[in-house]
C-alpha cells in the first residue's frame, strides 16, 4: 500500500534543505539579535525568514494543513494541536548557538495527523547532517540507518541536557540540582550542545545515551521524537509517565532502564504547557 | 630570520593528522574501556596506541627532545617541565566522547622550549579541523586566520565549562555553584563539548567568549594556550593571577574584561599540581 504521507515528507526534506542553506548564508554576515521573553531568549530575522519560507512553501502545496511554528506562536498564533495534519516547526533550533556560531544549529519539523507524529526531519545544517524518520520505517542520517546505543547501564552513560533561557535564579537552582543528582549517580558525563533537536538526534544515532529537559517546546521535540523512536529509543515524561508533546518536558534515552533511572532522580519544577490558554 | 621550530611544528601537524586517522578508524569498531583513577576517568587502547605513535615518530626525528604525555605519566613517567625542548601530548583529548562516539575528539600537541610554549597543534579529528598556533605568527584553522570575539559585555557572552571526572561531593557542589552563579549574571548560555583542547579552539575561533576549568592537565591545555593567545585572547589563573601550565586550572577568554568577570564567580577547589612530586 502506498504511503499517504510520503509526498509530504519528501517536500519537507526539500524545504528543510533550502532553509538550512539560508541559515548557512546568514552565518557569513553579521547577525543582529532581538529578545523574546527575556534578555537570554534570543531571536533573529533569520528565524523569522526561515519560518516564513517553510510555511509559505507548505501552504502552497497543502493549503488545508495546519501549522505550529515557534515564531508564529511568538507573534500570537495559537499553539493547540488538533487532529488536522499539522506541521510543527522550529526554524532555527539553537538560536543562541547560531548567533555565536557555535556548531549545533538545526531546522526541526515534525508532522502529526490525529495528534500522532507521522514523520520527523531535523537538519543539523552546519554539520550538514539530515536526520529523517517515518513512523514504522526506521531512522536515518544522510540516508544511512541509525540506531540508539542500546546502553542499559546508567553508570556507563553519556547524558545530554540544557540549562534553559530564563533569567530566574530559582529556575537555575532547580536545573543545577537535577544535573548534580544525575552526574553523581555517577554517569560518564553530561554535555550541553545547545540544540534540543540535535540532542535528540545524538541519542538516536548512539553518540549519547539520554537527553532530558524541562522547559523546551513542542517545536523543539516534534521532529526528534520520531527520529529517536524509529532508531529504537524510548521517549517519556520526566515523571516516567507517557510522553506528552505539549508538556514542555521529556526524557529520551537508548533504553527504558536508563530513562527510568533518570526519571527517578529528577525533581519537577513548573514549566507551563504549550497548549495552555494564555 | 628562519624559524628554528618550523620543522618541529610541521612534523607535529603531520603526526597529529596521522593520529587523527587512527582515532577515526577506531571509532568504527567497538571500544574497550579501561579506567584510571575512577570509574569515570576512562582510557582505551587507542589512547595508548596514539601516544606511542606520536612519541616514536617525534623521537626518530628529534632524539634529544623530551616528552610529557598523558598515558606515559599515567604509567609512571615524571611530569616535570624542564628547559629542554618538550612535546606535551594528549593523544585523545575527550576520551569519554571517543568512547561514546560524541563528535568532539582531539589530538593535542604543545611544544615548549625553556618552559615557554612555542607552538600548539590541536586536530579535532571527527570534524577534520586542524588548529595551529605559532608564537608571534597567529593562529589558524585549516589555513584560515582565527580571531577571538570582540564581545566585552558578559551578558552577551557564551561560556564553556566542563564537569570533569571528579565525583567527590564537595568538588561537584563547587562546580555547580559556580555554574549557577555564571548563569545568573546572566550570560547567553553555558555549553560543554567534553574536550578542553577543542574548547580552547572554540574561544580562539570566536564561537564562545570564555572557557574555564579546574582539574584539567597540562597536556589538555598546552597547545590550546598558544592558539588562544595567538588569536588575540588571554589566559589567566582562576584566582586572577598569571596562567600556570602545571596548576591544573585555567581561564581562557577573548579579553581580560570577560575573564575578570568570570573569575569573580569561580568557587575554587583544590587540584594537585601536575608537577607535584608523587609520594
Amino acid at each position: 500500500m502506498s504511503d499517504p504521507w510520503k509526498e509530504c515528507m519528501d517536500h519537507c526534506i526539500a524545504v528543510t534543505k533550502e532553509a538550512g542553506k539560508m541559515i548557512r548564508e546568514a552565518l557569513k554576515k553579521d547577525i543582529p539579535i532581538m529578545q523574546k521573553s527575556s534578555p537570554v531568549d534570543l531571536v533573529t530575522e533569520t528565524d523569522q525568514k526561515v519560518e516564513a519560507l517553510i510555511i509559505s512553501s507548505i501552504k502552497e502545496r497543502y493549503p488545508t494543513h495546519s501549522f505550529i511554528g515557534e515564531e508564529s506562536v511568538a507573534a500570537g498564533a495559537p499553539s493547540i494541536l488538533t487532529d488536522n495534519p499539522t506541521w510543527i516547526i522550529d526554524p532555527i533550533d539553537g538560536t543562541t548557538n547560531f548567533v555565536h556560531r557555535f556548531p549545533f544549529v538545526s531546522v526541526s519539523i515534525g508532522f502529526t495527523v490525529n495528534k500522532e507524529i507521522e514523520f520527523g526531519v531535523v537538519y543539523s545544517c552546519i554539520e550538514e547532517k539530515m536526520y529523517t524518520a517515518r513512523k514504522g520505517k526506521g531512522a536515518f542520517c544522510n540516508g544511512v540507518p541509525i540506531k540508539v546505543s542500546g546502553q542499559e547501564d546508567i553508570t556507563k552513560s553519556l547524558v545530554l541536557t540544557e540549562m534553559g533561557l530564563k533569567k530566574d535564579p530559582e529556575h537555575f537552582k532547580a536545573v543545577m540540582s537535577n544535573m548534580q543528582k544525575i552526574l553523581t549517580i555517577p554517569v560518564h558525563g553530561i554535555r550541553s550542545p545547545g540544540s534540543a533537536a540535535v540532542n535528540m538526534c545524538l541519542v538516536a544515532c548512539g553518540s549519547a545515551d539520554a537527553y532530558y529537559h524541562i522547559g523546551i517546546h513542542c517545536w523543539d521535540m516534534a521532529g526528534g521524537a520520531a527520529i529517536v523512536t524509529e532508531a529504537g529509543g524510548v521517549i517519556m515524561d520526566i515523571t516516567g509517565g507517557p510522553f506528552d508533546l505539549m508538556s514542555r518536558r521529556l526524557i529520551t534515552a537508548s533504553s527504558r532502564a536508563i530513562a527510568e533511572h533518570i526519571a527517578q532522580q529528577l525533581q519537577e519544577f513548573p514549566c507551563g504547557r504549550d497548549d495552555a490558554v494564555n | 630570520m628562519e624559524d628554528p621550530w618550523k620543522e618541529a611544528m610541521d612534523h607535529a601537524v603531520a603526526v597529529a593528522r596521522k593520529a587523527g586517522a587512527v582515532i577515526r578508524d577506531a571509532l568504527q569498531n567497538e571500544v574497550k574501556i579501561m579506567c584510571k583513577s575512577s570509574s569515570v576517568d576512562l582510557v582505551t587502547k587507542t589512547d595508548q596506541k596514539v601516544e606511542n605513535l606520536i612519541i616514536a615518530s617525534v623521537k626518530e626525528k628529534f632524539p634529544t627532545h623530551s616528552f610529557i604525555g598523558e598515558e606515559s605519566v599515567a604509567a609512571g613517567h615524571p611530569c616535570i617541565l624542564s628547559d629542554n625542548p618538550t612535546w606535551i601530548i594528549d593523544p585523545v583529548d575527550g576520551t569519554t566522547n571517543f568512547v561514546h562516539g560524541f563528535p568532539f575528539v582531539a589530538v593535542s600537541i604543545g611544544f615548549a622550549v625553556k618552559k615557554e610554549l612555542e607552538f600548539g597543534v590541536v586536530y579535532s579529528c571527527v570534524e577534520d579541523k586542524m588548529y595551529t598556533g605559532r608564537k608571534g605568527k597567529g593562529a589558524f584553522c585549516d589555513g584560515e586566520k582565527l580571531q577571538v570575539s570582540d564581545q566585552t559585555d558578559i551578558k552577551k557572552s557564551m561560556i564553556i565549562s566542563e564537569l570533569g571526572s571528579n565525583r567527590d561531593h564537595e568538588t561537584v557542589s563547587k562546580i555547580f555553584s559556580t555554574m549557577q552563579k555564571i548563569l545568573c549574571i546572566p550570560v547567553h548560555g553555558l555549553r560543554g563539548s567534553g574536550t578542553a583542547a577543542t574548547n580552547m579552539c572554540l574561544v580562539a575561533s570566536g564561537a564562545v567568549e570564555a572557557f574555564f576549568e579546574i582539574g584539567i592537565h597540562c597536556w589538555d591545555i598546552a597547545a590550546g594556550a598558544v592558539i588562544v593567545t595567538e588569536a588575540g585572547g588571554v589566559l589567566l589563573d582562576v584566582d586572577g593571577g598569571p596562567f600556570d601550565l602545571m596548576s591544573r586550572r585555567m581561564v581562557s577568554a577573548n579579553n581580560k574584561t570577560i575573564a575578570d568577570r568570570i573569575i569573580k564567580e569561580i568557587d575554587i577547589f583544590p587540584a594537585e599540581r601536575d608537577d607535584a612530586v608523587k609520594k
Side-chain angles (χ1 to χ4, degrees):
Chain A
M1 196 188 98
S2 180
D3 179 355
W5 305 116
K6 181 181 187 313
E7 209 192 288
C8 273
M9 190 169 172
D10 289 343
H11 186 86
C12 184
I13 292 170
V15 75
T16 304
K17 278 205 179 120
E18 256 191 85
K21 235 171 108 184
M22 197 183 245
I23 293 169
R24 280 194 303 272
E25 278 305 302
L27 278 164
K28 300 183 180 159
K29 314 179 183 124
D30 256 352
I31 305 174
I33 312 172
M34 300 165 278
Q35 293 165 8
K36 289 195 287 191
S37 65
S38 83
V40 298
D41 184 8
L42 310 181
V43 67
T44 69
E45 263 178 27
T46 310
D47 293 71
Q48 295 161 342
K49 247 169 105 179
V50 167
E51 185 160 316
L53 166 102
I54 295 173
I55 290 180
S56 66
S57 162
I58 295 168
K59 260 190 182 157
E60 199 182 330
R61 194 120 182 217
Y62 306 102
T64 59
H65 287 190
S66 303
F67 300 90
I68 297 175
E70 175 170 16
E71 305 318 327
S72 314
V73 168
S79 175
I80 308 290
L81 187 61
T82 66
D83 286 348
N84 200 38
T86 303
W87 300 73
I88 306 174
I89 302 161
D90 191 345
I92 300 186
D93 186 45
T95 296
T96 305
N97 283 358
F98 169 65
V99 154
H100 286 269
R101 292 157 174 82
F102 189 84
F104 291 116
V105 178
S106 62
V107 183
S108 175
I109 304 180
F111 178 77
T112 62
V113 182
N114 297 326
K115 301 191 185 76
E116 293 281 326
I117 301 177
E118 289 293 331
F119 65 75
V121 171
V122 172
Y123 185 33
S124 178
C125 52
I126 297 179
E127 306 181 276
E128 290 194 63
K129 285 184 173 168
M130 176 69 78
Y131 294 91
T132 58
R134 172 77 182 99
K135 190 167 89 178
K137 296 191 184 218
F140 300 83
C141 177
N142 291 344
V144 177
I146 55 174
K147 67 180 172 91
V148 293
S149 70
Q151 184 60 256
E152 306 229 332
D153 182 349
I154 190 76
T155 64
K156 296 192 166 75
S157 66
L158 187 67
V159 178
L160 309 179
T161 194
E162 302 295 342
M163 285 157 252
L165 298 170
K166 288 184 157 191
K167 217 176 68 140
D168 166 14
E170 283 308 306
H171 165 86
F172 288 129
K173 203 165 152 197
V175 168
M176 292 290 109
S177 151
N178 276 337
M179 274 179 81
Q180 188 163 346
K181 284 197 230 159
I182 302 290
L183 186 72
T184 49
I185 289 174
V187 295
H188 271 178
I190 299 181
R191 303 284 179 265
S192 297
S195 152
V198 169
N199 290 348
M200 294 177 87
C201 295
L202 287 166
V203 174
C205 68
S207 297
D209 305 295
Y211 165 50
Y212 74 90
H213 200 149
I214 301 173
I216 38 172
H217 292 278
C218 59
W219 47 77
D220 297 315
M221 314 194 267
I227 294 167
V228 166
T229 17
E230 285 300 315
V234 303
I235 185 166
M236 59 174 66
D237 184 52
I238 55 143
T239 55
F243 172 60
D244 175 352
L245 183 59
M246 296 302 186
S247 68
R248 296 207 47 202
R249 53 197 214 184
L250 88 166
I251 299 174
T252 178
S254 56
S255 65
R256 184 152 286 275
I258 296 241
E260 281 170 356
H261 201 127
I262 292 178
Q264 273 160 27
Q265 298 295 318
L266 292 179
Q267 185 67 42
E268 302 187 45
F269 54 86
C271 55
R273 288 182 62 86
D274 275 325
D275 53 7
V277 178
N278 290 318
Chain B
M1 196 188 98
E2 214 181 287
D3 180 356
W5 304 116
K6 183 181 187 311
E7 212 187 302
M9 188 168 174
D10 289 345
H11 191 85
V13 170
V15 78
R17 212 176 274 286
K18 255 172 119 172
V22 171
I23 292 168
R24 277 195 304 270
D25 204 60
L27 276 164
Q28 305 298 327
N29 309 314
E30 219 182 287
V31 178
K32 184 157 177 279
I33 312 172
M34 296 164 281
C35 300
K36 289 196 283 194
S37 65
S38 77
S39 66
V40 298
D41 184 11
L42 310 181
V43 68
T44 69
K45 279 201 166 122
T46 305
D47 294 68
Q48 296 160 342
K49 206 174 145 183
V50 167
E51 186 160 314
N52 292 340
L53 177 150
I54 296 172
I55 292 181
S57 162
V58 170
K59 260 189 180 155
E60 201 184 328
K61 203 149 176 171
F62 306 100
T64 60
H65 288 190
S66 302
F67 299 89
I68 293 174
E70 174 170 16
E71 305 318 326
S72 315
V73 167
H77 284 234
C79 185
I80 308 289
L81 187 61
S82 68
D83 284 351
N84 200 38
T86 305
W87 299 67
I88 306 172
I89 302 161
D90 191 342
V92 180
D93 187 44
T95 295
T96 301
N97 284 358
F98 168 66
V99 153
H100 286 272
F102 189 81
F104 289 115
V105 182
V107 182
S108 176
I109 301 176
F111 180 77
V113 181
K114 298 194 170 62
K115 302 192 185 75
E116 291 282 323
L117 288 163
E118 289 292 332
F119 67 73
V121 171
V122 172
Y123 182 38
S124 176
C125 56
V126 177
E127 305 181 276
D128 193 15
K129 285 184 174 165
M130 180 67 75
Y131 294 90
T132 57
R134 173 75 183 101
K135 191 170 91 178
K137 294 187 187 227
F140 298 84
C141 177
D142 294 335
E144 265 194 57
K145 201 162 198 306
L146 293 175
Q147 180 67 44
V148 292
S149 122
D150 57 10
Q151 187 59 255
T152 50
D153 184 351
I154 190 73
K155 295 187 177 164
K156 296 192 168 81
S157 66
M158 188 117 97
I159 310 296
I160 299 193
S161 192
E162 299 293 343
L163 301 172
S165 53
N166 189 333
R167 298 287 180 264
D168 161 86
H169 179 79
E170 204 170 314
T171 302
V172 167
S173 295
K174 290 206 163 162
I175 289 174
F176 279 108
S177 74
T178 299
M179 281 172 63
Q180 191 172 328
K181 285 195 271 174
I182 289 176
L183 284 164
C184 289
I185 290 175
V187 295
H188 269 179
L190 206 48
R191 300 281 179 269
S193 76
T195 128
T198 306
N199 289 343
M200 294 180 87
C201 294
L202 287 165
V203 174
S205 71
V208 302
E209 275 67 33
F211 162 54
F212 71 93
E213 194 174 345
I214 302 175
I216 34 163
H217 292 277
C218 59
W219 46 78
D220 296 318
I221 52 177
V226 185
I227 294 168
V228 166
T229 23
E230 285 301 316
V234 302
L235 296 169
L236 291 167
D237 187 21
V238 295
D239 64 6
F243 170 64
D244 175 352
L245 183 61
M246 295 297 181
S247 66
R248 303 279 312 275
R249 55 197 219 182
M250 175 210 64
V251 175
S252 62
N254 60 332
N255 54 55
K256 196 161 184 309
T257 306
I258 296 279
D260 284 345
R261 186 64 188 82
I262 296 287
I263 281 165
K264 265 185 155 151
E265 309 300 348
I266 298 178
D267 269 335
I268 301 178
F269 55 88
E272 193 185 55
R273 292 180 61 88
D274 274 327
D275 52 8
V277 176
K278 305 265 181 275
K279 298 183 180 96

